[in-house]
Amino acid sequence: MTPTKQITTLGHSGLKEPLGRRAGKTFNSTSLRRMSYLLPLAVFLTALSLYPSLQMLRMSVSDVGIANINGDWPLVGFENFVAIGTSAEFWLVAGNTLIYVGVVLVLSLVVGFAAALATYQSRRTTRVVLAAMILVWAIPPVVSASLWKFLLAKNGAVNQVLEAVGLGSGDVLWLSSPDLAIWSVALVTAWVSIPFCAVVLRASMLSLNPELFESSELDGARKWQAVWYITIPMLRPAFVTLTILVIMYAVKAYDIIFVLTSGGPGTASMTLPYLGYQTAFANFEFGLAAATAVAAGLLIGAVGFAYIRETSRSMK
Amino acid sequence: MTRQEVLRKKISSYVRKRPIARVALALLVLLYMVPLYWLVATSFRTGQDIASSPVAIFFDPTVDAYAKAFTPTVFRSVLNTLIISLSTMLLVLLIAVPAAFALARGKSKVVVLALAAVIIVQIIPPASAVIPLFSVLSSWGLAGSIGGLVLADATLFVPFAVLLLIPFFSAIPVEIEEAARIDGASMFTLLARVCAPVARNGIFSVAVFVFVLTWGELVYAISLLTDPKDYPMSALIANSVGNLGIQWDLLMALAVIGAIPILAVFLLAQKQLTEGLTAGAVK
C-alpha cells in the first residue's frame, strides 16, 4: 500500500509513482489537468480584482472626476497623494481608524474569550446565549446598526438605562458628539464581532489536549492557574488568527458606520476606507479617492503580510 | 471517562464554581438577548408609544408598523435580495469548488502563488475596491445592473470560499481518489462524482455562509445599483434610516423583515454555520 503522506507531499493525485528519489513536484499530465481547474478562479480574479486594482493605481495618479470617469484620465503624478498627505482631515481619520480598529480588536478578543469561558459548558442557558450571539453575527450589519441607532439615540434605551441606574443624566450624545462618535461606532462594531471570536475560541478550548493539564496537576497547580497559564497560551494560534481576521474586519467595516453616523459629525467617525468612499461617491473626486484608498491600503498591507505568513505556515 | 471528558469536567467545575462565570453569562444575556428583544419589541409598538417610553418591557403590541412596512417596494426588495444572494452563492460555488479541488493537493509554486493571491485579495476593503469597480463595470456596460452586482459580490466571497473549502477537499483520503482513477475516472468525474459528494458538508456550509453574507451586503449594493427599485433589503434599510429617522417602529419592522430570512436559514442550518465559522480559523 503506497504511503499516503508520501504521495501528498510529493504533490500529485495521480497514480504515477515517482521514479527514483524524486522529492519535488511531479509535473505529470494528471496534476496539470487538476491545476487547470484553477482557471475559472484565475480568470475571475484577474478580471474583477487584479484589473480593477490596477485601474485604482492608475486613478490615484490621475485627475478623475465625474466628467471624465468614462473618458480619458490625465496623469497628474503624485499630486493626489500630496493633497491628502497635507490634509489634516486625512491624518485625523487615520488616527480614528487606529482607535476604531484597536477598540474592536481588544473587545473582540477579551470579551470573546470571556464569553467562550462562560459558555464552555453545553447547558440549555449557554446554548441559547450562544445562539443569540451567533444570530447577531449572522444578521445583516444594517439591521444591527439600525437597532443601535435606536438604542443610542439621545432619549434612547441606553441613556434611559444609564439614568435609571444613576450613571449619568441620560443625555449622552453617543452618535452626534464629535468626541464620542468614533468610540460608539467602534463599540457597536465590536458587539457584532465578539460572537465570532467567542465561537472560535470556545471551539479551540474544546479541542485542547488534556495531557497538558495532567502534568500541571502533578506539579500541584491550582485549577485557576491551569486555566490562565495553560489555556491562554495554548489558544495562541487561535488568538493570532483572530487578531488578523478582526483587524481586517474592522478595516473593511462600512455598513455600521454608514447607518449609525454616516461618518459624522463631519468626519469624526470615519475610517480611512470610508473617507475614500466618501471622496469618490459624494464628492465625485475619483482620483483623490483612489489615492486615499491606496494610502490606506499600504497601511493595511502590513497586516495582510502577516496573515499570509501565518496561513502558509499552518498549511505546510 | 476519556481524558477529554476529564479535562472538560475540570474546566467546567472551575467555571461553574466561580460566581464570575455566572456574572459573565448574565452580562452576555444583557448584552445580546436584551437588544434583540428590543429590536423585535419595538417593531410591535406604535410611534407614540415608543416616543413616550423608549425602554419598555411591557407594552401593548400592535402590528401597525408591519402593516406600514409591507409595501410593494419592500416585497420587491426582498425578492431582489433573494435573487442576488442565490446568484452570488451559485457563482461563488462554481468558481470556488473547482479551485479548492485543484489547490487541495499540491505544493507546486502555482499553488503557493494562487493561495497568496487569494489571501491578498481579501485585504482590500469593499469601500475602496468599489471605486475602480464602478468604473470597470460601467465600461463593460454592467453599471447599475444586478448582474454587475452579483459579479462584484462574488469577488468578495470567492477567495474566502476557496480558503474555507480547501481543508474539506484535502481531508478526502487519497485512497478514494486513487481508486476512482484506477477505475478510469476522468478528472471531471473525479471532482463531480467523487470528491464533491464527499466534501458536500463543507460545500453546504460555505454555500450557506456566502448566502448569509451576501444577504447583508451593503456597500456594493448601494454603489453599483442605480435604480432604487433594484435595491436589496440592506440598501433599502440603509436608505430608510435617513428618511425615517424618528419612525423607529417602522425602521425596526423593516429591520426584522430584513433579518427574518437569515433567521430561517440560521435555524435550518445552525450546525453547519458553526462548523463553517470554526473551519477556517481552527487549524
Side-chain angles (χ1 to χ4, degrees):
Chain A
M1 203 51 191
T2 43
T4 310
K5 226 179 187 168
Q6 188 131 40
I7 292 185
T8 321
T9 43
L10 283 171
H12 70 117
S13 59
L15 293 176
K16 299 197 168 84
E17 298 263 17
L19 304 165
R21 296 167 284 112
R22 288 289 290 281
K25 46 191 194 285
T26 318
F27 263 133
N28 51 43
S29 63
T30 317
S31 70
L32 262 176
R33 218 177 307 145
R34 187 153 184 161
M35 286 298 122
S36 71
Y37 280 79
L38 271 178
L39 257 142
L41 180 72
V43 167
F44 187 78
L45 284 185
T46 309
L48 285 158
S49 276
L50 183 64
Y51 177 56
S53 301
L54 292 173
Q55 287 292 76
M56 181 151 82
L57 286 172
R58 176 86 167 75
M59 266 185 187
S60 68
V61 291
S62 319
D63 178 18
V64 191
I66 194 69
N68 61 343
I69 179 87
N70 277 329
D72 285 323
W73 301 342
L75 278 170
V76 293
F78 288 112
E79 211 173 84
N80 289 327
F81 287 99
V82 169
I84 60 170
T86 53
S87 88
E89 186 181 69
F90 178 81
W91 295 109
L92 195 79
V93 172
N96 280 346
T97 309
L98 216 66
I99 294 175
Y100 182 79
V101 173
V103 170
V104 174
L105 180 65
V106 169
L107 283 179
S108 297
L109 292 181
V110 170
V111 181
F113 181 67
L117 273 182
T119 56
Y120 183 75
Q121 305 166 267
S122 193
R123 296 193 319 249
R124 205 153 52 132
T125 36
T126 63
R127 273 202 292 264
V128 168
V129 169
L130 260 179
M133 291 177 76
I134 297 176
L135 188 65
V136 160
W137 181 87
I139 59 181
V142 285
V143 170
S144 306
S146 301
L147 170 62
W148 281 101
K149 192 163 175 106
F150 167 63
L151 296 176
L152 288 173
K154 182 148 174 255
N155 45 2
V158 172
N159 275 343
Q160 293 238 312
V161 168
L162 286 178
E163 193 183 5
V165 291
L167 277 172
S169 46
D171 56 359
V172 182
L173 293 172
W174 296 103
L175 300 174
S176 43
S177 145
D179 299 312
L180 274 181
I182 185 73
W183 299 94
S184 309
V185 163
L187 285 173
V188 175
T189 309
W191 187 75
V192 174
S193 149
I194 285 167
F196 177 72
C197 297
V199 168
V200 170
L201 288 171
R202 183 174 178 270
S204 298
M205 280 201 260
L206 287 168
S207 67
L208 285 181
N209 188 342
E211 285 179 23
L212 303 143
F213 290 81
E214 289 180 16
S215 61
S216 77
E217 218 187 30
L218 287 174
D219 294 341
R222 289 183 358 211
K223 283 188 192 117
W224 70 270
Q225 283 177 322
V227 172
W228 293 121
Y229 293 116
I230 300 182
T231 316
I232 294 187
M234 280 307 294
L235 292 176
R236 211 185 86 101
F239 274 116
V240 170
T241 310
L242 282 176
T243 301
I244 297 167
L245 286 176
V246 170
I247 291 178
M248 280 170 49
Y249 172 75
V251 168
K252 290 185 196 176
Y254 175 89
D255 310 15
I256 296 180
I257 303 176
F258 178 76
V259 170
L260 283 177
T261 58
S262 298
T267 57
S269 58
M270 278 193 194
T271 57
L272 281 173
Y274 197 105
L275 181 65
Y277 181 87
Q278 191 86 329
T279 315
F281 290 94
N283 307 342
F284 297 111
E285 309 236 6
F286 290 94
L288 267 179
T292 311
V294 169
L298 288 172
L299 295 169
I300 301 162
V303 180
F305 187 60
Y307 185 30
I308 296 172
R309 280 177 58 205
E310 176 63 22
T311 316
S312 59
R313 209 182 294 150
S314 58
M315 274 207 182
K316 284 205 169 79
Chain B
M1 276 194 280
T2 65
R3 280 166 154 183
Q4 206 85 35
E5 287 168 15
V6 171
L7 171 69
R8 274 184 219 170
K9 287 219 159 218
K10 280 203 172 84
I11 298 188
S12 292
S13 65
Y14 159 75
V15 166
R16 196 180 359 205
K17 278 179 196 154
R18 300 197 131 233
I20 210 168
R22 293 269 170 85
V23 171
L25 202 64
L27 280 173
L28 283 178
V29 168
L30 192 70
L31 210 54
Y32 283 94
M33 300 191 68
V34 171
L36 281 178
Y37 168 75
W38 273 331
L39 171 65
V40 177
T42 311
S43 68
F44 284 109
R45 301 170 67 190
T46 65
Q48 293 111 318
D49 193 11
I50 300 170
S52 60
S53 61
V55 189
I57 309 175
F58 302 108
F59 54 90
D60 286 322
T62 159
V63 289
D64 267 2
Y66 285 99
K68 275 190 275 177
F70 277 118
T71 60
T73 318
V74 170
F75 275 124
R76 168 115 198 207
S77 183
V78 173
L79 199 66
N80 289 338
T81 322
L82 202 64
I83 294 173
I84 295 169
S85 301
L86 282 174
S87 310
T88 307
M89 180 187 84
L90 286 170
L91 180 59
V92 168
L93 287 180
L94 265 160
I95 298 172
V97 167
F101 170 71
L103 294 172
R105 313 222 187 270
K107 305 287 169 185
S108 62
K109 291 210 176 76
V110 173
V111 171
V112 172
L113 194 74
L115 282 175
V118 152
I119 292 170
I120 292 175
V121 151
Q122 290 184 81
I123 292 164
I124 308 172
S128 302
V130 72
I131 301 170
L133 252 183
F134 182 70
S135 146
V136 166
L137 283 176
S138 72
S139 69
W140 291 343
L142 286 170
S145 75
I146 291 201
L149 176 61
V150 169
L151 282 174
D153 281 347
T155 63
L156 272 181
F157 302 120
V158 157
F160 180 61
V162 170
L163 287 177
L164 267 188
L165 281 171
I166 288 179
F168 290 102
F169 279 97
S170 302
I172 300 175
V174 188
E175 292 85 9
I176 294 182
E177 291 186 16
E178 283 192 4
R181 299 281 289 148
I182 292 175
D183 289 343
S186 71
M187 194 60 73
F188 182 75
T189 315
L190 181 66
L191 168 60
R193 294 258 175 87
V194 179
C195 294
V198 174
R200 70 178 176 283
N201 271 341
I203 296 177
F204 180 74
S205 302
V206 170
V208 169
F209 233 6
V210 172
F211 181 87
V212 167
L213 288 172
T214 312
W215 187 276
E217 203 284 322
L218 179 68
V219 182
Y220 287 170
I222 46 169
S223 317
L224 299 173
L225 290 174
T226 44
D227 188 355
K229 281 201 237 113
D230 294 329
Y231 275 0
M233 278 305 282
S234 54
L236 187 73
I237 296 174
N239 257 2
S240 307
V241 169
N243 304 340
L244 291 181
I246 331 282
Q247 283 183 275
W248 296 120
D249 55 335
L250 185 53
L251 184 62
M252 293 303 122
L254 276 178
V256 170
I257 295 173
I260 280 181
I262 298 301
L263 178 63
V265 168
F266 179 75
L267 287 172
L268 292 171
Q270 193 184 10
K271 224 184 189 177
Q272 274 85 352
L273 264 182
T274 328
E275 257 175 47
L277 268 178
T278 55
V282 180
K283 293 195 174 63

